[in-house]
Amino acid sequence: MSPGPRRDPLTRHCALAVVSAPSELNTLQPPGWTAAQWVVTHGADHGLDPGRIAVAGDSVGGNMAASLTLTAKQQGDVRLAGQVLFYPVTDAAFDTGSYERFAEGFFLRRDTMQWFWDQYAPDPAQRDEITASPLRATGCSRPPEPSLA
């Protein structure tokens, strides 16, 4: 996989390894979960420190990274050191002040975001799950502090 515009400087200047997985939507586990478990189990064999795993993503990728972080806290077999979320999508609710204020006249209008959610989580019940709407998570122990951009 070729480095993206945000990932390339991070990997070159911070001596990071990038382990990515294809986005398999509508699964019981968030995208990247299998890759995170692989790093815990096999990472040391490849010079990776399984105690220093962080997740990152932008837009819906930020949603997936937050979802993976919540799953890691629930499952307990993957310990994450951090998460970096670039303008993450964190809730499927369309009745928020932000959606009211920016409903029209901007690149990501409310109707456009509704279309994206219809593709990402076609069943409205899926959108209530914390893996789709991480801001709705309650009662879980504190995940790593996110760095938001």
Side-chain angles (χ1 to χ4, degrees), residues 7-18:
R7 187 173 52 234
D8 186 48
L10 289 173
T11 58
R12 284 188 292 117
H13 299 294
C14 298
L16 300 174
V18 175

Side-chain angles (χ1 to χ4, degrees), residues 39-57:
V39 172
V40 168
T41 306
H42 304 287
D45 298 337
H46 299 274
L48 304 175
D49 182 351
R52 295 180 53 205
I53 301 172
V55 295

